């Protein structure tokens, strides 16, 4: 795969007796948006920290933009940027001053530094706020400025660790558009996120981590296709029927919600199949109040793959 710009093979990392990564393999295509999903503690942030040269792996290999992260970390750092979960900008400086200061730290000449600052302020819709102290910015504006700072050196690969944490829905939508624009202009984006909708909306490719391993990989549609094309959500009439239904579908139910007395199971979606299911439940004296048919979401695939039922 000649278009692979980030490659990891057999990455391992432990902290004491706790194994965080147990052999992670990744291949990220140039110019794509790649999402790492997984439960808390699955190893997403550790993977990003290894790929961005912040920590060393205990085993395995990784290359970014053709350079080994262990033996050529300085060369890797010239090709990447990393934006963490919280904005790392100086609140006492203005947005413009933050960009100019970082430009000086990157040894950008004066004229290109000023030109790049103006370009990024415009690109991230911060021109009107450029002269204001960052402490007066909203959360979404701080995140946009943080990302603008990370793009001063025009990196080939951008690591975003939960980029929309703490943002309101409108700011999250704005950030999604920024990420799409980055990929559209040729950057490669590798992001971690707790928002499954975010990966569904943005990612060209998704890897699901669980217990330090990649347990599934593909597009959002491919991951959804691991489930049946349709689901039947059964709303049971009483607590006894709910208990009987959960026993009947133990290990195969996609969702279980005791408060709503609902159980979701996979189905092909045909009327004949649904009728057979309801007849079987009636024969077992399991009372169904109503049913809802729906297509699986990335949430369903994620919960099924990681073994977390709800």
């Amino acid at each position: 795969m000649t278009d692979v710009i980030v490659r990891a093979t057999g990455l391992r990392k432990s902290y004491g007796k706790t194994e965080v990564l147990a052999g992670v393999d990744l291949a990220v295509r140039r110019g794509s948006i790649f999402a790492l999903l997984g439960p808390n503690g699955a190893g997403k942030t550790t993977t990003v920290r290894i790929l961005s040269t912040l920590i060393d792996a205990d085993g395995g290999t990784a290359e970014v933009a053709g350079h080994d992260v262990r033996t050529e970390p300085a060369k890797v750092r010239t090709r990447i940027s990393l934006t963490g979960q919280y904005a790392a900008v100086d609140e006492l400086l203005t947005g413009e001053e933050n960009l100019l200061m970082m430009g000086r730290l990157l040894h950008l000449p004066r004229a290109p530094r000023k030109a790049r600052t103006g370009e990024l302020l415009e690109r991230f819709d911060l021109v009107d706020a450029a002269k204001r102290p960052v402490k007066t910015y909203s959360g979404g504006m701080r995140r946009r400025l943080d990302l603008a700072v990370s793009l001063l050196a025009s990196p080939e690969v951008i690591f975003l660790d939960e980029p929309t944490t703490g943002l309101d829905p409108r700011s999250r939508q704005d950030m999604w558009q920024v990420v799409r624009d980055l990929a559209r202009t040729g950057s490669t984006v590798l992001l971690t996120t707790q928002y499954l909708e975010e990966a569904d909306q943005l990612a060209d490719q998704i890897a699901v981590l669980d217990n330090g391993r990649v347990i599934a990989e593909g597009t959002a549609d491919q991951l959804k296709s691991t489930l049946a094309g349709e689901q039947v959500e059964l709303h049971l009439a009483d607590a006894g029927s709910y208990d009987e239904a959960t026993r009947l579908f133990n290990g195969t139910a996609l969702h279980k919600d005791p408060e709503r007395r609902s159980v979701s199971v996979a189905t092909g979606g045909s009327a004949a199949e649904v009728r057979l299911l309801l007849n079987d439940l009636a024969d077992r004296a399991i009372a169904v109040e109503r049913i809802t048919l729906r297509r699986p979401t990335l949430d369903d695939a994620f919960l099924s793959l990681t073994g977390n039922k709800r």
Side-chain angles (χ1 to χ4, degrees):
M1 296 175 65
T2 57
D3 63 340
V4 171
I5 192 170
V6 177
R7 186 189 300 278
T9 305
L11 286 186
R12 295 182 175 275
K13 184 67 178 179
S14 297
Y15 293 99
K17 295 182 179 180
T18 302
E19 188 177 47
V20 180
L21 300 182
V24 169
D25 299 331
L26 296 175
V28 181
R29 296 191 309 275
R30 187 181 299 274
S32 68
I33 302 174
F34 189 101
L36 283 177
L37 291 179
N40 288 333
K44 302 184 299 297
T45 296
T46 298
T47 301
V48 167
R49 295 183 71 193
I50 290 171
L51 294 174
S52 58
T53 76
L54 292 180
I55 60 174
D56 289 331
D58 296 334
T61 62
E63 290 186 358
V64 177
H67 299 291
D68 188 290
V69 300
R70 181 189 294 272
T71 61
E72 303 175 288
K75 290 182 178 180
V76 170
R77 291 170 194 149
T78 65
R79 305 293 189 92
I80 69 172
S81 74
L82 170 63
T83 299
Q85 295 181 22
Y86 304 100
V89 290
D90 192 319
E91 294 190 344
L92 299 180
L93 298 179
T94 67
E96 183 179 53
E97 287 169 342
N98 268 280
L99 285 162
L100 291 172
M101 177 185 69
M102 185 56 66
R104 288 195 296 271
L105 292 175
L106 292 170
H107 305 294
L108 296 179
R110 180 179 177 83
R113 181 170 70 234
K114 292 189 68 174
R116 184 68 173 153
T117 292
E119 175 189 331
L120 289 169
L121 288 170
E122 184 173 357
R123 181 176 182 180
F124 288 91
D125 195 23
L126 293 169
V127 173
D128 291 341
K131 304 293 185 182
R132 286 168 39 195
V134 172
K135 65 182 179 182
T136 67
Y137 284 18
S138 67
M141 292 169 67
R142 292 185 191 204
R143 293 300 288 167
R144 295 204 306 274
L145 178 62
D146 195 31
L147 189 51
V149 168
S150 71
L151 295 179
L152 272 165
S154 301
E156 294 180 55
V157 181
I158 302 164
F159 295 102
L160 303 178
D161 193 9
E162 301 194 24
T164 62
T165 296
L167 297 186
D168 60 75
R170 180 178 294 277
S171 296
R172 184 172 298 132
Q173 292 276 351
D174 291 343
M175 185 59 68
W176 288 358
Q177 189 56 52
V178 167
V179 173
R180 292 188 188 101
D181 290 342
L182 290 172
R184 192 175 297 118
T185 55
S187 296
T188 303
V189 180
L190 191 154
L191 64 89
T192 71
T193 180
Q194 291 294 326
Y195 300 110
L196 295 165
E197 182 189 5
E198 189 160 276
D200 201 355
Q201 289 285 331
L202 294 178
D204 300 303
Q205 193 81 356
I206 299 168
V208 181
L209 272 69
D210 196 23
N211 294 319
R213 299 180 185 275
V214 176
I215 60 170
E217 187 173 347
T219 66
D221 286 342
Q222 287 170 339
L223 293 179
K224 293 173 192 176
S225 72
T226 62
L227 306 174
E230 300 283 346
Q231 295 176 31
V232 176
E233 187 173 20
L234 305 166
H235 300 267
L236 288 309
D238 51 63
S241 292
Y242 174 80
D243 291 340
E244 287 297 321
T246 55
R247 279 193 286 270
L248 176 63
F249 299 114
N250 182 39
T252 61
L254 301 174
H255 292 283
K256 293 182 286 187
D257 188 335
E259 292 186 4
R260 297 173 61 236
R261 294 200 305 267
S262 68
V263 178
S264 294
V265 296
T267 174
S270 69
E273 187 173 346
V274 173
R275 188 180 303 112
L276 286 173
L277 173 64
L278 294 177
N279 288 342
D280 184 39
L281 291 170
D283 291 344
R284 297 171 184 269
I286 298 175
V288 178
E289 188 173 79
R290 58 189 173 87
I291 66 170
T292 304
L293 283 173
R294 66 185 182 91
R295 294 191 61 79
T297 66
L298 189 57
D299 297 60
D300 299 321
F302 176 80
L303 292 170
S304 177
L305 288 165
T306 59
N308 295 308
K309 308 295 182 187
R310 68 182 184 194

